[in-house]
Amino acid sequence: MRFGKIRDLFFSDVYPQQDRFYVLITALTVMMWAVKLTEIIITAAPFYHILFLFFSMILIAAVTVHAIRSGRGRMGAAVVVFIVCLVYTPNVFFHDGGIYGEAPIWFLFSAFFISTCLNGRTMFIYLTILLAEAIGCWYCSWRFPSLIVHDSEISAHLFSLIALYLTGLTVCITICYRSMLYRQEVTRSLQQKKEIEALNESQNHFFSSMSHEIRTPINTIIALNEMILRENINDEVAEDAANIQSASKMLLHLINDILDMSKFASGKMKLTPVVYNPGDMLSEIVGMLWIRAKEKGLDFQVHVSPDIPVELLGDEVRIKQILINVLNNAIKYTQQGSVSLTIEPGETEDGILHVVYSVSDTGIGIKKENIPHLFSAFKRMDEEKNRHIEGTGLGLSIVRQFVDMMGGKITVNSIYTKGSTFIIEIPQKIVTTQKIGEIRIDSESAPGSRREHIAGFEAPEAKVLVVDDNASNLLVVSKLLRETKVQVETVSCGEEALKRTLNQHYHVIFMDHLMPEMDGIECLKAIRSQIGGQSKDARIVVLTANAGSENKMLYEKAGFDGYLTKPITGDILEKELYRLLPRNLTFTTGSGEDILKETVSWMKKEQRKKTVVITTESVADLPQEIIARYGIAVLPHLVCTAEGDFLDGVEIETKGLLDYMNDRERKVRTGIPDVQTVEAFFARQLTTANNIIHISVSGGLTNSGCPVAQEAARAFNNVTVIDSGHLSSGQGLMVIEACRMAEEGKSPDEIREHLERMKPRIHTSFVVDSLDFLSRADQVSSRVARVTKALMAKPVLVLKRGKMGVGKVFFGTRENVWKQYIRSVLRSPASIDHRILFVTYVGITNRDMEWIRNQVEKRTKFESIYFQQASPVIAVNCGSGTFGLLVRDADPQTETFS
């Protein structure tokens, strides 16, 4: 290599750092070996020893040069480490005095060599081999000292001192070189950080300037378009104007998204909580999106619970932005059907209400594998199918970040090609306990319809000054305030404003911020301190295109009395003016009541979604009265026969199945629903609830529905599948407990945690008359079934750790066996929960049931005893003459079953 290339190797970024360390320490090792070669030549060492060291030097140098030139530094490092540490070092041990020579120093150097040249698993493998090699060498030195060749005492001392000096020098040079590279990297990182910060600052300035520049013409478009809608125009013009209004607001919304993304990236995003009316916010959202839905022929509905408070404390602007983004996405990806927004109150704690917003559509849906990437910026799902749909890919990323900032959560349920539901929960402070109630709906006020504008007040004696360097903005404010009959004067700069305020008293001044020569803040201060000025006490409002919470704080600090952003609407401008004017100058003309759009409906109590719904499977063997009492949704398993597959408990019942199975030639097996069926089941339940807890049969059983349910739940963010670890009414006991907790308003997480603790306290067992049915279902061998039948043995099937097995075997007549089984289950009455007992049976008579009840009550009393016929799926495996006592251990905490 030429000198220039050598310099580049060590001091430029052309080669990876690891390769540079490897070359450096290899070069230093070759130098040390050159000194060592001189030593052994002087001391007349054996020729083969000289030859071995010489060729080792040549070999590692050649390997290193070839590895660097070919770009295989890692492979070269591994070969050199092998030669230096695993070949040369043990050779030194046996030929240079063992533990009394320089070998211990070389072993330490070898460890340093390995950790410098290698990394990851390769490094640990070599270090392990080196350790084993050292142990072997020391063992040989102890057990077979004759294998060690010793130098003279003076040579041993001299050579070990030289080795110590050389290896120490090599280690120091390597560490100094590493430190130098580290300092260079730190300097480079700091420089890059400054460049990135400067770039971000430039980017933020650009976005802010772009937002300001675009907002100004949009302000003119929206405001003058609003004036058109106020005029007496025909329906076609009114519809066109409404479309312009909607499109302008969507453009503004897109600008806000781009600006917000830059704020998130720079860490400057802040929330601005204000007291707001959810109904007012809703009206604006519907007004913006209703036309887009109408253009695509979609049914657009908003359902609002009347229990929502009239006033909440939250960042209204950001909440509105969240809902617009999600609704806009829903409309964009829905070609036919409907899009709906549902707003309901969730949990309330310490004056904080968790408001639940649900957006549902009948669009193309989302693939399960795409859901984890749904909230990534600039990423669009299923690009090939959606290539004709426009979008930036920013909307949902911004939604997630805003929801996280507000301490809320967002979940997604979707079935591909069927539709999606986004559920957003945002905590907000309750300002007043008054409910929003059922607001009157006026069908004449739908978006796109024209209605005569009536100002909320008139103030003919009030004087208003508008200061803005843009003539269009001056025209907009003048026209929007025309109906209020206030006296409006306009000026185009701060200097002109000061000339007017010197001699004229104005009640309210609307002031732009960014103006040439004198900006709005400077003009404000000049008016307040103007000697002889007539408007020192005027209420001054900044009317600017600089949106954002940080700008609002800037204007508050500067001393403005109000803050309005462009584009401005007539209603907002009138409300702000009315707030600031003295009451003796104004008198109201309108009703003062805002009217919501026709798409808003108010939910009746029975229409509201539940926070959580409990679902289970037909094998849970629950009484119909409990299913009806708690509204439990049941997913049926399958009974498969030669005649076809039948839904468990729906299309086939237990008695008919037992009669069918009396013919031993007939084969019956159990089956489970497929993933698509379970997904559809979950989707139906989510139309009535925001969360599902599905309690499944034990996943350790053959043909368990648990794995399929878990797979189906992946399509939804708020479906929790719990492996009960039980079956039949043992599973049913967990379902009842979950329903009770859901009625108490417990969260899904609280219910899940409680059920996990409850699992080991439930006892599921059955005493069977014979193993014939289990044999026919291939659960046990036919030989075992015949032997137990011949011995008059009655096995007890027990579920432990989620798997079915034979727990005990009783012998004797059926009556004696049943007595023994009841005694074994109820042997410790004090430890049993006495509130409920399930007796789940297959093919026993009413007389048998009464006898079982008497035997149970002789041992202990229960508040409720349910005799429940097992489902056909359970009966397939057990057969007639089977029953089980399913109980749970007493809980230290008092709980109530209904």
Side-chain angles (χ1 to χ4, degrees), residues 4 98 107 124 135 163 502 657 769:
F107 270 105
F124 285 107
I135 293 172
L502 181 63
L657 178 64
D769 221 26

Side-chain angles (χ1 to χ4, degrees), residues 330-356:
I331 294 171
K332 188 188 302 180
Y333 290 99
T334 303
Q335 301 306 318
Q336 58 183 4
S338 65
V339 173
S340 65
L341 168 64
T342 302
I343 305 177
E344 299 176 273
E347 298 178 6
T348 303
E349 185 178 0
D350 299 329
I352 302 296
L353 172 66
H354 290 254
V355 184
V356 181

Side-chain angles (χ1 to χ4, degrees), residues 734-776:
M734 294 186 68
V735 174
I736 294 173
E737 180 70 2
C739 290
R740 180 192 64 79
M741 296 185 71
E743 275 198 342
E744 291 180 354
K746 301 296 184 184
S747 69
D749 287 340
E750 289 174 318
I751 296 173
R752 178 184 53 79
E753 291 170 2
H754 180 77
L755 293 183
E756 291 294 336
R757 293 193 299 268
M758 181 181 173
K759 278 184 193 179
R761 301 204 311 270
I762 294 176
H763 302 282
T764 301
S765 63
F766 294 89
V767 58
V768 298
D769 221 26
S770 73
L771 295 178
D772 288 347
F773 280 77
L774 282 170
S775 172
R776 291 169 65 179

Side-chain angles (χ1 to χ4, degrees), residues 532-546:
Q534 300 297 308
S535 299
K536 288 183 178 180
D537 299 326
R539 309 298 293 276
I540 304 178
V541 178
V542 63
L543 178 55
T544 177
N546 289 340

Side-chain angles (χ1 to χ4, degrees), residues 594-736:
D594 294 325
I595 302 172
L596 288 179
K597 305 297 188 256
E598 67 175 0
T599 50
V600 181
S601 67
W602 302 94
M603 301 171 63
K604 297 178 182 178
K605 189 170 183 180
E606 60 271 15
Q607 293 175 320
R608 299 174 205 168
K609 282 189 174 184
K610 297 179 181 177
T611 301
V612 60
V613 68
I614 308 300
T615 65
T616 189
E617 300 154 339
S618 57
V619 292
D621 289 336
L622 285 167
Q624 196 58 43
E625 61 181 282
I626 289 181
I627 292 174
R629 158 74 176 82
Y630 290 110
I632 302 167
V634 178
L635 176 67
H637 278 216
L638 300 174
V639 176
C640 306
T641 70
E643 283 72 25
D645 298 345
F646 302 92
L647 295 178
D648 183 29
V650 178
E651 300 173 336
I652 191 169
E653 45 86 28
T654 302
K655 186 177 184 304
L657 178 64
L658 294 176
D659 292 340
Y660 177 85
M661 294 184 69
N662 284 334
D663 184 348
R664 298 185 61 84
E665 297 301 318
R666 289 173 172 168
K667 285 285 186 180
V668 179
R669 61 181 179 82
T670 60
I672 54 176
D674 58 26
V675 173
Q676 290 74 24
T677 302
V678 182
E679 284 181 351
F681 172 77
F682 288 153
R684 286 195 302 273
Q685 307 316 312
L686 285 170
T687 61
T688 61
N690 291 326
N691 297 275
I692 292 176
I693 290 184
H694 181 75
I695 301 171
S696 181
V697 67
S698 172
L701 298 175
T702 305
N703 280 337
S704 167
C706 188
V708 174
Q710 290 171 336
E711 174 65 22
R714 288 180 55 206
F716 309 91
N717 277 157
N718 50 355
V719 175
T720 303
V721 175
I722 296 177
D723 181 348
S724 68
H726 295 274
L727 84 162
S728 187
S729 300
Q731 177 185 351
L733 284 169
M734 294 186 68
V735 174
I736 294 173

Side-chain angles (χ1 to χ4, degrees), residues 24 124 153 294 359 514 695:
L24 176 66
F124 285 107
E153 187 174 349
K294 182 182 177 183
V359 177
L514 299 179
I695 301 171

Side-chain angles (χ1 to χ4, degrees), residues 765-771 787-798 806-827 883-885:
S765 63
F766 294 89
V767 58
V768 298
D769 221 26
S770 73
L771 295 178
V787 170
T788 55
K789 192 171 185 178
L791 295 174
M792 295 181 65
K794 303 287 191 294
V796 176
L797 303 179
V798 178
V806 177
K808 294 180 180 179
V809 178
F810 296 120
F811 296 91
T813 64
R814 171 188 276 195
E815 184 175 310
N816 286 333
V817 167
W818 285 8
K819 281 184 179 179
Q820 293 177 67
Y821 169 67
I822 294 171
R823 189 183 308 120
S824 68
V825 174
L826 305 178
R827 65 182 179 275
F883 83 92
L885 302 183

